[in-house]
Amino acid sequence: MDLLLGAVVLGVLLGCFYAAVSVGLSVSFGLLDVPHVAHPAFLVLASYGVYQLNESYDIDPLLAGLALTPLFFLFGLLAYRVYYETFERRGSDAGVRGIAFFFGIAFIIEVLIILQFGVDQRSVTATYIGKSWRFGEFRIPIRQLVAFAVALALTVLLAVYLSKTFMGRAIRAVAQDEEALRLMGANPVRIKQFAFGIATAVLGIAGALLIIVAPVEPTLDRAYIGRTFCVVVMAGLGSISGTLIAAIILGVAESIVLTLFGASWAPAISFAMLLGVLAVRPQGLLGR
Amino acid sequence: MKRRTFLGGAMAVAVAGRGSSALAQQPPVKIGMSMAQTGGLAGGGKASQLGIEVWRDDVNAKGGLLGRKVELIVYDDKSSASETPAIYAKLVDVDKVDLLFAPYATVPTAPLMPFVKQRGLLLMGNFSFQVNSKVGHDMWFNNAPWGPADSWASSFLDLGQKAGGKNMALLAADQEFAQNLALTARDVAKQRGLPVVFDQSYPPNTVEFSSILRALKAAKPDIVYVASYPPDSAGILRAVNEIGIGDDVKIFGGGMVGLQFAAVMSNLGSLLNGVVNYNTWLPEPSMYFDGTKEFFEKYTKRAVEAKVDPLGYYLAPFGYAMGQMVEAAVNSTKSLDQKGIAKYLREKEHKTIVGPIAFAADGERKETATLQAQFRGVKDKDIEQFRSSGKQVILFPDKLKTGSLISPFEAARK
């Protein structure tokens, strides 16, 4: 019973971390319909940025992640503009060619990281990494609690931004009906570009959480493609609160399987759950 | 200047000139291999390659092989087993290489074995584990010090049992190398009547090990044998530090790949203390042979520029030793005939910078030289500390031993 309770607690923490690394994709893929397969590569790039700031200037990883968000915002604006001009503007086969474009970007990022940092694993130091909080026999890694708290705050903030602010509502509107927005005099491309910038900026913080939770290496993005897309699709495209719920379900399921049923089954969990959700509710947990 | 001295000097210059031009004119001896430059094995692959390159430069400075320059042809296998068969087919059929070195590690090497056996090719193995056990190719020679298949697990379990261990836990990655290690550990435990109270394999890309460690701790094992790959080893040790492992554990470690690499060791720092893990070469007094010191002087200078493991203990000297063995075989047989080289390698004992090497019939070492060493007194964020002796005390094998086990594990961590 203790083991099961522990697995659920650790699973919730892991799930919130999965939400943080997926929530940007929920905007770019879920709301904007951009086949952003380079999302995990952007995430790993952010982790290396955090590593560099931590290593060279001894800046706390979370602060380093925060410092990177404006840079990543600009990077997102640029990436979307190139994608739009090269693919989206030209027509109907943008989807498939767009996937190739983002795969290309992911590959370039991988190579650049290898050239700059080499292939070895990198990790950061902070007072909360490597220690745990003790409740009797039960211990929780503090880095996971930090990741949990920051991830939760990040997801809630983004959900509030998209539902309460003018720009956030515009982003939702462009996702629902781009043509109607154009008829009302707004420029959907600019709004989508701004939204893509936000989705990328969020990765500054998510990248910090990634390297706080575990060491990173240049090809780590490949491990996260499946998980992040699974969370976003399972959540219901574009649903931020759905992303949090789906990620927590995935985290708890993985943690229970790892603890009680054998680790070998864990990778199958995300896809089994995805198939299950799509079979019963094709629009995702909170999709419309 | 006396006439005799002048003539002697002129002749020396002429001979040297003719020698170097002959070296330049003849086609090179081509040695082909794939090596992980990207992916999870790249850290090891690059260090291994640099070790081989140091040998290439040394042998070329001595005049090459059979008076021909040695050239390496290397392709990136991306740490993937699916890449290597095509690469080696190209090396043999298109690049027409004279000799083959295997890629670093078990996973990319395993699918090559049927190919080299079918074609009757010599393959110098590079740190794979038991890839020839089912294929039975008689022209395979592994440079790794593993020795007989069960010796690795036996040495670790011996240490654990001598410290009072009565049962064991087994945690292994779902990778060929780790699974082979786990398999032999299960066999050895069965032979000894040692109960296995926890036996789990975890998949590659496991993000978080806290849950697995909680389950392992709940089984209350005495001996914890871990067979992990570099991306996981750090995660497991971190979780051990955070979740705890229990006071029953006498010995922890055994087969964790990654704890031999400078970047991982530096990242983990004091978390390494107490862990007993396998290794291949360490800067302990018993580990220096002819040329070892000179090799590391050359390697250390080049490693920084190449952005490769600055210590390079684990693989690099064995890459060099692989070259030394081929060099001795070619010079002795005065030929590049692969069957002749294989016969020489099989029958002789070879002097290398990692000590004497003799091969058993299966192409693995006759006698194990795999070290089991305990991390002690390691501080955080200091790579240089690992260059001095005493940080990784050798517990096994006896002839290379430099200290005794500190147990239980929790006491050894302090």
Side-chain angles (χ1 to χ4, degrees), chain A residues 121-142:
Chain A
Q121 285 179 45
R122 303 287 163 183
S123 62
V124 289
T125 50
T127 47
Y128 44 83
I129 296 176
K131 291 178 183 152
S132 54
W133 271 357
R134 207 171 177 152
F135 304 99
E137 275 302 296
F138 187 60
R139 295 195 211 177
I140 300 178
I142 296 177

Side-chain angles (χ1 to χ4, degrees), chain A residues 2 6 10 55 114-116 119-121 123 125 130 132 138-139 141 143-144 212-213 224 227 255 259 262-264 267, chain B residues 37-38 42-43 174 200-203 205 207-208 210-212 214-215 230-231 238 241-244 263 267 307 381:
Chain A
D2 277 355
L10 288 170
E55 182 76 7
I114 290 171
L115 288 175
Q116 179 60 33
V119 291
D120 292 325
Q121 285 179 45
S123 62
T125 50
S132 54
F138 187 60
R139 295 195 211 177
R143 67 190 155 86
Q144 283 205 333
I212 285 170
V213 166
Y224 279 87
R227 279 194 186 98
S255 181
T259 309
S264 294
Chain B
Q37 309 285 327
T38 52
D174 258 342
Q200 284 276 319
S201 295
Y202 63 84
N205 304 331
V207 175
E208 183 51 53
S210 308
S211 300
I212 300 176
R214 277 176 53 76
R238 233 186 214 183
N241 194 56
E242 291 164 342
I243 302 298
N267 283 339
K307 287 191 177 161
K381 290 245 162 196

Side-chain angles (χ1 to χ4, degrees), chain A residues 20 34 64 67 87 114 157 166 179 183 189 205 236 240 242 271 273-274:
Chain A
V34 175
F87 299 101
I114 290 171
L157 275 175
F166 179 77
E179 277 309 305
L183 290 172
V189 177
I205 305 285
I240 304 298
F271 289 102
M273 288 175 65
L274 182 63

Side-chain angles (χ1 to χ4, degrees), chain B residues 278-399:
Chain B
Y278 86 97
N279 219 318
T280 54
W281 191 90
L282 289 167
E284 293 289 297
S286 57
M287 296 301 296
Y288 286 89
F289 303 91
D290 276 351
T292 317
K293 191 165 168 284
E294 292 78 5
F295 167 77
F296 278 110
E297 281 167 4
K298 288 175 194 163
Y299 176 90
T300 307
K301 274 186 197 155
R302 293 169 64 161
V304 178
E305 195 185 321
K307 287 191 177 161
V308 171
D309 191 315
L311 299 176
Y313 299 156
Y314 182 56
L315 283 154
F318 291 83
Y320 190 94
M322 189 158 55
Q324 281 185 299
M325 288 189 278
V326 165
E327 182 184 342
V330 171
N331 287 339
S332 295
T333 58
K334 296 191 171 38
S335 148
L336 287 170
D337 172 56
Q338 302 203 12
K339 284 200 163 50
I341 295 172
K343 185 170 182 289
Y344 179 90
L345 291 172
R346 206 163 34 241
E347 290 173 356
K348 305 281 183 196
E349 184 178 89
H350 315 285
K351 278 188 177 175
T352 73
I353 61 164
V354 291
I357 295 178
F359 292 107
D362 62 356
E364 302 296 328
R365 293 276 194 96
K366 249 182 199 163
E367 201 177 302
T368 183
T370 307
L371 314 174
Q372 291 291 350
Q374 187 167 38
F375 286 95
R376 288 186 197 163
V378 178
K379 299 181 296 238
D380 291 327
K381 290 245 162 196
D382 178 9
I383 288 185
E384 291 306 308
Q385 65 183 323
F386 295 109
R387 294 192 194 279
S388 51
S389 63
K391 294 294 171 188
Q392 292 186 72
V393 176
I394 298 173
L395 312 174
F396 177 89
D398 284 342
K399 63 182 172 189

Side-chain angles (χ1 to χ4, degrees), chain A residues 31-32 169-179 181 187-189 191-192 195:
Chain A
L31 282 175
L32 307 179
R169 284 176 179 163
I171 292 169
R172 283 189 177 279
V174 81
Q176 277 178 21
D177 196 335
E178 197 174 319
E179 277 309 305
L181 205 69
N187 182 345
V189 177
I191 295 171
K192 286 173 90 171

Side-chain angles (χ1 to χ4, degrees), chain B residues 114-382:
Chain B
F115 170 76
V116 287
K117 185 174 183 185
Q118 193 185 26
R119 300 278 194 107
L121 298 168
L122 172 81
L123 186 63
M124 295 299 292
N126 191 4
F127 271 59
S128 50
F129 186 69
Q130 290 298 306
V131 290
N132 197 32
S133 61
K134 287 180 188 152
V135 180
H137 182 34
D138 63 357
M139 292 169 76
W140 157 264
F141 301 95
N142 192 357
N143 66 349
W146 317 146
D150 61 352
S151 60
W152 192 324
S154 294
S155 61
F156 185 80
L157 295 184
D158 272 346
L159 290 165
Q161 286 186 295
K162 278 179 193 161
K166 299 277 190 285
N167 63 44
M168 73 175 276
L170 188 57
L171 178 61
D174 258 342
Q175 291 270 23
E176 185 144 359
F177 169 78
Q179 286 300 314
N180 280 340
L181 276 192
L183 196 67
T184 54
R186 273 184 216 110
D187 285 348
V188 174
K190 199 173 171 186
Q191 285 161 22
R192 296 176 178 204
L194 192 69
V196 181
V197 293
F198 178 92
D199 188 348
Q200 284 276 319
S201 295
Y202 63 84
N205 304 331
T206 299
V207 175
E208 183 51 53
F209 288 89
S210 308
S211 300
I212 300 176
L213 256 291
R214 277 176 53 76
L216 189 150
K217 188 181 172 185
K220 296 188 182 299
D222 297 333
I223 298 170
V224 180
Y225 188 68
V226 184
S228 54
Y229 252 33
D232 330 317
S233 299
I236 291 171
L237 274 190
R238 233 186 214 183
V240 164
N241 194 56
E242 291 164 342
I243 302 298
I245 193 76
D247 296 333
D248 296 328
V249 175
K250 309 283 186 273
I251 186 170
F252 180 97
M256 302 178 80
V257 187
L259 304 192
Q260 304 78 7
F261 302 149
V264 179
M265 287 155 75
S266 171
N267 283 339
L268 289 169
S270 56
L271 295 188
L272 291 165
N273 285 325
V275 174
V276 174
N277 201 35
Y278 86 97
N279 219 318
T280 54
W281 191 90
L282 289 167
E284 293 289 297
S286 57
M287 296 301 296
Y288 286 89
F289 303 91
D290 276 351
T292 317
K293 191 165 168 284
E294 292 78 5
F295 167 77
F296 278 110
E297 281 167 4
K298 288 175 194 163
Y299 176 90
T300 307
K301 274 186 197 155
R302 293 169 64 161
V304 178
E305 195 185 321
K307 287 191 177 161
V308 171
D309 191 315
L311 299 176
Y313 299 156
Y314 182 56
L315 283 154
F318 291 83
Y320 190 94
M322 189 158 55
Q324 281 185 299
M325 288 189 278
V326 165
E327 182 184 342
V330 171
N331 287 339
S332 295
T333 58
K334 296 191 171 38
S335 148
L336 287 170
D337 172 56
Q338 302 203 12
K339 284 200 163 50
I341 295 172
K343 185 170 182 289
Y344 179 90
L345 291 172
R346 206 163 34 241
E347 290 173 356
K348 305 281 183 196
E349 184 178 89
H350 315 285
K351 278 188 177 175
T352 73
I353 61 164
V354 291
I357 295 178
F359 292 107
D362 62 356
E364 302 296 328
R365 293 276 194 96
K366 249 182 199 163
E367 201 177 302
T368 183
T370 307
L371 314 174
Q372 291 291 350
Q374 187 167 38
F375 286 95
R376 288 186 197 163
V378 178
K379 299 181 296 238
D380 291 327
K381 290 245 162 196
D382 178 9

